[in-house]
Amino acid sequence: MSAPFDKSWAFEKHYFHHSNPNRPLCVVLYEKCIIRPLVDWAWKVKKGESSGDKNTAQAIIKKYESHAAKMLGGTLAEDCAKSVLIEDHTYEAALRHGMSLLDAYKPRDWDDGKDERQLIVVRDEFADVLKNTIAGVTEAHEVYGLNRITGQSEILANLAGLELPYSGFPDFSRRIELKTKWSTAAATKSGKRSASLPSTPDWNHVQQVAGYWAGTGLMQAIVYANAKEYRVFTEDNCDLLTHEGLQSVLNHMVAKLAIRENLLKSCDSIEQMLRLIEPDFKHFYAWDKRPEVVNDAKKLWGFK
């Protein structure tokens, strides 16, 4: 029997910490245990930190790169808001910077032009989403009486009932999470389908901030912003963000993450572990990857 502090059952499978259990377990373990070690090795080779063929390394990086126009829009809205709220840049300067990066973005080359069409929508909405992001994040800080705004930082929480730590990165001031909503490119008269803001926070987003709350002891806010408006959720207008609500959500998370630890402990190899999980290749976003990546996964599970 291994010593209590021995985490080789996880580390040998390249699983070092937990994160928000908001996606199917099949893709989480496939990414953490198979894709991430390959990509980490490839980047080390490319940077000259490890020996290996650089052409092979570059091919691996390209194969597993994860990007999408909506994802980029969310990242840029957050980064540009930080340049205004933290670095005192003007909105106009931040907007120019964000638009220049959107202009430089190369859409996916494997989804029949879907990402390219989505990029047009994101560019069209970026100025308004950024404006509402800044307003929403500012209001959330005012709710907590925070004069000083800080950016993203890692939270490592040791949750009761788990052996591995929980890792997360709150977007602002260790207690404010930003979620942007973008219209979707569609065959409509306007060329898009509008994205409305939720009347209550998404369960997956509440799980995310529950981990931050456990690690910091700070009450959490979730800010949603789209091209039309913004909405701020705190314990004052959302029961899930109260102490009792967050604790209930945290209990749910720990139960799910404990199952992962038991699965990691029960198997000697990554392949054996993955074959114990039924994959959901039709999940609407979890397997949104290059076709060859999905095919590799299907072969591992025996579906090809």
Side-chain angles (χ1 to χ4, degrees), residues 41-50 52-54 57-58 61:
W41 172 84
W43 276 109
K44 287 179 181 178
V45 170
K46 187 173 181 179
K47 295 176 181 178
E49 298 172 357
S50 293
D53 181 73
K54 291 193 174 182
Q58 182 56 43
I61 291 170

Side-chain angles (χ1 to χ4, degrees), residues 63 110 289-297:
K63 178 178 179 179
W110 49 267
K289 304 178 185 298
R290 286 183 178 274
E292 56 264 39
V293 175
V294 179
N295 283 335
D296 287 348

Side-chain angles (χ1 to χ4, degrees), residues 248-261:
S248 178
V249 173
L250 192 67
N251 293 343
H252 176 88
M253 292 169 57
V254 168
K256 293 183 69 173
L257 296 175
I259 292 172
R260 297 185 182 185
E261 292 191 354

Side-chain angles (χ1 to χ4, degrees), residues 198-263:
S199 56
T200 59
D202 185 281
W203 172 263
N204 289 331
H205 302 157
V206 178
Q207 284 190 140
Q208 192 173 353
V209 301
Y212 305 158
W213 170 72
T216 65
L218 299 172
M219 300 308 294
Q220 300 288 313
I222 303 175
V223 176
Y224 289 94
N226 63 11
K228 295 181 179 180
E229 58 185 335
Y230 69 85
R231 193 163 293 162
V232 178
F233 292 102
T234 68
E235 69 269 28
D236 293 331
N237 60 3
C238 176
D239 289 342
L240 285 174
L241 296 178
T242 63
H243 282 91
E244 295 78 9
L246 289 169
Q247 186 60 60
S248 178
V249 173
L250 192 67
N251 293 343
H252 176 88
M253 292 169 57
V254 168
K256 293 183 69 173
L257 296 175
I259 292 172
R260 297 185 182 185
E261 292 191 354
N262 291 333
L263 188 62

